Each structure stands twice: as structure tokens, then as C-alpha cells.
Amino acid sequence: MVRRRPTTLDDIAEVAGVSRSTVWFVLSDSGRVSDKTRAHVRQVAEDMKYVVNVGARNLRNARAGAIGVYLPESTSGLAYYMDFIFGVIDVASRNEVSVTVLPEGRTKAHQVSHVDGYILVDPPDDDATVLSILNGKLPVVSGERSPSGAPAPDAVVGSDHANGMRELLEHLSTSGAQRPALIVGPANTAWVRDIRHAYLEWCEARDVAPVLADSAERLSADDIRSVTRELLSSDPVPDAIISTPDGSAVGVVSTARSMGIVIGTELLVAGYADGLAMEMADPAITAVDLSPRAFGARCATRLFEVIDSSRDAEFPEEAFPIAVIPRDSTSRRR
């Protein structure tokens, strides 16, 4: 079988009746070329099915043609972070750049030279790879604030999780809750500390005894069921439960129902991170929409802005919006 060779700039120049340099200017969006000629050359290139040699282009621009995303071990298997990655890929693919996912404990940042910059997502404290990335020379964008005391990233995209928790608590209060409990995982990331502090502050302002079920380790499905049974067997029993680990509110609902408790009337349940599991549960569960795919896309967009900027450019922290999505699990007691 005869294989056709790829279309070259010389081929396009011959068919378009222009010089090779003109073709290069048009396809690289540079140089002084009239709009008419630019449109003509692009049409010829499209007709000839020209494909950009990304490797050669990156070599000319001294770029690796890839960005790195660091996912700590604690994020493994969680839907939120998978959606975040897809958001990064959406933007990277439009920029003809690949994405390298760096798992914890397997890859040190200084050993990875084939990326042009890094994205951190919910970077935990005292993480050796996070510190290695932040101490490196490549651009870094952090999705949520990075650990205090570590070198600052070039840019931060973050959500106001304290306000998100306050809005969720106010929604529960409006629905009749007076003794909300909070199930929360390790306080080794900025967003967990923010929601934990906001919960305690809200309780103190209303002279409500906080019911905080926290853990120094990531909570498993069995842990969520066990914690829920303990909360619902305590005295006094909380009349609402907010469960922050990704998808864990589904376990709270199923455990409470197995104890004969009616969700939405006897007990209000909310999750902090929304997702398909929240929407499909019976009853559907109120949650905070963190829009992880859009968040990942915004972090990637910010990283490309940093990569393409001058070395001394400054990027103020960017606020990413979140919102409470009320559903049946909290809306039946008005």
C-alpha cells in the first residue's frame, strides 16, 4: 500500500500561489498578510488537509507541549477530581497541548521536565510533591489556596467555601433545622478548614451546640455509615446532617432510612459537593454546586495565561462561583 506523505508548507504555497514564508505567517498567525490572502491560504490548507506538526512547533517555541496536574492520593476515585481533570483536558485540547497527571508518591516534580507548567488542585499541607512543584521554576496555578508557608503559586483560582457553607446552613435553618451536624474529613486543605470554621462560627453566633464529626483520615463508605448511626443515636439527635466528603451524603441518607428515619421531615440531609449521585438519590439531595469541570477549565485557562505572560506579570486571586442547589432532602419542612 502506498502511503501519502503529509502536506507541507511548500505544497500549500505552490497551490495557493504564494511564498512559503507567507504560508508560515498565515498558519502561525503572525506577519503582515492581507485578510484576503490570509483567508485564501487557510482555505487551501484546509482543502489539502494540512495538519500542524505540533512537535516541531513546540520545538521552535521551546515548549514541551504538555501541562501537569497533580492529584494527591486522597483524591483517588472521587468523581469531583475526575470532572476537574476533564475540564483541564477540554482547555488543553483546544490549545493542542497534552495533559500529564502526576499521582502522589510516584513522580517527583523535579523529575518531570516534559511539561510547561503545573496545576495543583486542593493542595494538602505537608505534601512533598506540592512543595517540590512550588519550589520549582515552572509556572504553577493552584485550584484553591496552597499551603501557608510554602512558596506562593503564580496564580490562584478559588471559591468562597466559607460563604458556601453559610448559605447551606441558612437554607437548612429556613427549612426548620435547629441542630445541624457536620461530617468532615481531614482539615489539611484550605477548603476543608474554611467550611469547618464557617460551621463553628455559624453555631456560635446562634448559640447552637456544634455537632462536629471530623476525622484525621479520609472517610470510607463504612466510616460514613458508622458516623451517621452514632449521630442519630446521640442525645440530642441532630435534625440535619451536612456531609462534606464527595458523594458521602448518599450514605447518610441510606443509613438514616435503614433506621426508620424519614428524610426531609424527621432529618434534613445535604452534601457539600454536588454530583450525579446527589441528583439521582431518593430523595434527591441538596448540595453545593462546585462545578468541577468548569473549575478545572478555568484553572487551565489561567495556567496558559501565566505561561504566555512575561516573567514579572502578576495575577490576582480569581474567584470562582459556587451555589447551593436545594432539593427534596431539605425542602419538606417549611
Side-chain angles (χ1 to χ4, degrees):
M1 182 179 69
V2 178
R3 295 184 181 274
R4 296 184 60 186
R5 66 177 179 82
T7 300
T8 66
L9 298 187
D10 289 327
D11 296 333
I12 298 172
E14 182 179 354
V15 173
V18 298
S19 67
R20 185 182 189 280
S21 60
T22 298
V23 175
W24 187 87
F25 285 140
V26 170
L27 298 182
S28 63
D29 289 323
S30 60
R32 294 184 177 181
V33 182
S34 70
D35 292 341
K36 182 178 179 180
T37 299
R38 196 176 293 274
H40 173 59
V41 170
R42 287 191 181 281
Q43 186 61 55
V44 170
E46 183 178 343
D47 293 342
M48 298 182 71
K49 296 181 172 56
Y50 175 72
V51 178
V52 177
N53 187 328
V54 177
R57 184 189 62 187
N58 290 333
L59 187 61
R60 289 194 300 271
N61 296 333
R63 296 279 178 86
I67 57 175
V69 181
Y70 175 57
L71 290 182
E73 184 66 28
S74 58
T75 67
S76 176
L78 298 180
Y80 173 90
Y81 297 99
M82 297 305 101
D83 286 345
F84 180 93
I85 288 292
F86 280 120
V88 173
I89 293 173
D90 289 341
V91 173
S93 63
R94 290 198 296 270
N95 285 271
E96 297 180 317
V97 167
S98 60
V99 177
T100 299
V101 179
L102 311 176
E104 182 179 17
R106 299 180 189 176
T107 309
K108 296 296 184 183
H110 67 269
Q111 297 172 334
V112 181
S113 58
H114 57 282
V115 298
D116 296 309
Y118 294 99
I119 296 174
L120 305 176
V121 53
D122 292 337
D125 303 333
D126 302 323
D127 184 297
T129 306
V130 168
L131 294 177
S132 178
I133 290 172
L134 290 173
N135 277 301
K137 297 181 179 180
L138 293 176
V140 181
V141 168
S142 183
E144 308 301 353
R145 297 192 311 277
S146 59
S148 60
D154 295 276
V156 174
V157 181
S159 301
D160 190 346
H161 293 288
N163 189 61
M165 175 55 67
R166 286 190 291 267
E167 287 188 10
L168 187 55
L169 287 163
E170 286 302 318
H171 167 73
L172 293 174
S173 178
T174 301
S175 298
Q178 298 178 355
R179 299 183 304 280
L182 176 65
I183 301 175
V184 67
N188 63 344
T189 56
W191 78 273
V192 171
R193 287 192 291 270
D194 286 349
I195 61 177
R196 191 178 186 276
H197 178 74
Y199 168 76
L200 294 173
E201 191 175 58
W202 186 90
C203 290
E204 182 179 8
R206 288 154 184 79
D207 198 24
V208 172
V211 182
L212 183 64
D214 55 1
S215 171
E217 303 293 335
R218 174 177 167 177
L219 294 167
S220 67
D222 286 340
D223 293 332
I224 295 296
R225 285 189 284 267
S226 177
V227 168
T228 302
R229 283 191 292 268
E230 290 178 10
L231 288 174
L232 298 178
S233 301
S234 62
D235 185 18
V237 177
D239 54 9
I241 296 178
I242 301 171
S243 193
T244 62
D246 192 0
S248 61
V250 176
V252 173
V253 167
S254 63
T255 302
R257 293 181 67 175
S258 72
M259 299 172 68
I261 297 172
V262 180
I263 306 300
T265 54
E266 296 176 312
L267 178 70
L268 309 184
V269 178
Y272 192 74
D274 194 22
L276 184 60
M278 303 290 116
E279 188 175 357
M280 297 297 293
D282 183 20
I285 302 172
T286 292
V288 178
D289 183 8
L290 302 177
S291 302
R293 188 159 186 157
F295 185 48
R298 187 55 221 160
C299 288
T301 299
R302 198 63 157 168
L303 179 59
F304 284 115
E305 292 171 352
V306 173
I307 291 172
D308 292 335
S309 69
S310 61
R311 183 174 293 273
D312 57 350
E314 295 185 1
F315 294 86
E317 181 171 344
E318 181 177 350
F320 185 82
I322 58 178
V324 173
I325 308 297
R327 296 195 178 101
D328 288 347
S329 67
T330 63
S331 62
R332 293 177 183 165
R333 193 184 349 156
R334 294 290 182 184

